[in-house]
Amino acid sequence: MDAVDGGCYIAAMSQAPANKPSGAYHHGDLRAQLLDVAARLLREEGEEGLSMRRLAQELGVSRTAPYHHFSDKHSLLCGIAEEGFRRFRQVNADAELWNVDTFSEASLQAFVRRYVNFAVSNAEYYDLMFGGKLWKSAALTASLKAEAYTAFREYVDHFRQLQTGGIFAANFDPLRYAQLSWSTLHGMSRLLIDGIYLDSSTVDEMCNTAAAMFWRQCRPLNTSG
């Protein structure tokens, strides 16, 4: 992502009669329902439990209905990853975290906790958001790339704005800092999701330690470090 220039909601679902006319085969936003149910199936059964036919059965719509929104399973997986980035952006968009007047080490602690909590609590999204299966695919959707790059660009912009506001030194590099801090949080999250770090009681301490490290690397103007 050097090319820089979040709780589940399941909509109300109902069984659709078989003779429902074309274009009226769903109740509410079928695309959102497909993404939510697909994410649930990934969480409960893994990718082997997910198929376009299964989604249609779960939602009580015709077998062809999901194809009005996703051309195939790969397109659906890209849609789930895209939704993950959208939710991730919402989780971390809290202006209080990035306010020039109040930004502090505690703000970084809050951000780190939000990131790790989102990743671990939404592994079905996170696995696809950063999984090589999609990103190495020639069929990666443009909308997924746009949502992912927007999420990272917003992260970089937070630090650029703080620098402009006089929080960080002029030689602070927001882009490189964002790349390295995001990579660190991704590594922590991945180890937790994969069960390599099993002691959940240490997560808060890990988050605080990471935030302290980030805080020192920022070289805030109001500190001697």
Side-chain angles (χ1 to χ4, degrees):
M1 294 186 181
D2 204 351
V4 161
D5 168 300
C8 288
Y9 61 92
I10 297 181
M13 296 176 282
S14 64
Q15 294 291 326
N19 61 351
K20 209 163 189 181
S22 176
Y25 49 77
H26 64 88
H27 177 74
D29 186 347
L30 180 60
R31 188 179 191 279
Q33 293 176 18
L34 289 167
L35 291 174
D36 283 333
V37 174
R40 174 175 60 78
L41 291 174
L42 286 174
R43 180 173 62 252
E44 295 175 352
E45 303 179 25
E47 191 173 330
E48 62 274 11
L50 177 62
S51 68
M52 302 294 271
R53 180 189 293 269
R54 177 74 182 279
L55 280 180
Q57 292 173 342
E58 290 280 331
L59 286 165
V61 297
S62 70
R63 286 185 296 175
T64 60
Y67 291 97
H68 288 269
H69 300 275
F70 302 101
S71 59
D72 53 24
K73 184 176 177 178
H74 180 83
S75 173
L76 172 66
L77 293 175
C78 287
I80 298 169
E82 182 181 338
E83 175 66 14
F85 277 110
R86 190 174 296 113
R87 295 184 182 199
F88 175 80
R89 288 172 58 202
Q90 292 173 350
V91 165
N92 295 298
D94 187 349
E96 291 300 314
L97 288 176
W98 312 106
N99 190 304
V100 171
D101 297 324
T102 60
F103 185 75
S104 65
E105 185 174 347
S107 300
L108 282 175
Q109 289 176 345
F111 168 70
V112 170
R113 288 197 187 96
R114 287 187 182 204
Y115 186 109
V116 173
N117 182 66
F118 174 86
V120 174
S121 301
N122 298 275
E124 63 275 17
Y125 291 101
Y126 198 82
D127 286 342
L128 293 173
M129 289 164 63
F130 297 102
K133 177 178 179 178
L134 294 185
W135 285 98
K136 292 178 180 179
S137 168
L140 188 71
T141 61
S143 56
L144 170 54
K145 287 191 287 187
E147 196 67 40
Y149 291 149
T150 296
F152 185 68
R153 184 176 64 250
E154 289 175 347
Y155 183 52
V156 177
D157 286 346
H158 288 315
F159 295 109
R160 284 180 174 154
Q161 291 164 9
L162 289 169
Q163 184 181 41
T164 299
I167 300 298
F168 302 141
N171 63 349
F172 172 77
D173 188 334
L175 173 57
R176 295 296 175 238
Y177 178 85
Q179 289 173 320
L180 291 173
S181 59
W182 191 313
S183 298
T184 299
L185 296 180
H186 175 68
M188 285 174 54
S189 300
R190 194 70 263 167
L191 290 168
L192 289 165
I193 291 170
D194 292 342
I196 297 172
Y197 284 171
L198 295 175
D199 187 358
S200 59
S201 65
T202 66
V203 173
D204 280 346
E205 184 178 349
M206 289 168 57
C207 289
N208 290 342
T209 300
M213 179 179 68
F214 295 160
W215 181 245
R216 288 193 299 271
Q217 291 302 313
C218 285
R219 299 189 301 278
L221 295 180
N222 61 344
T223 72
S224 57

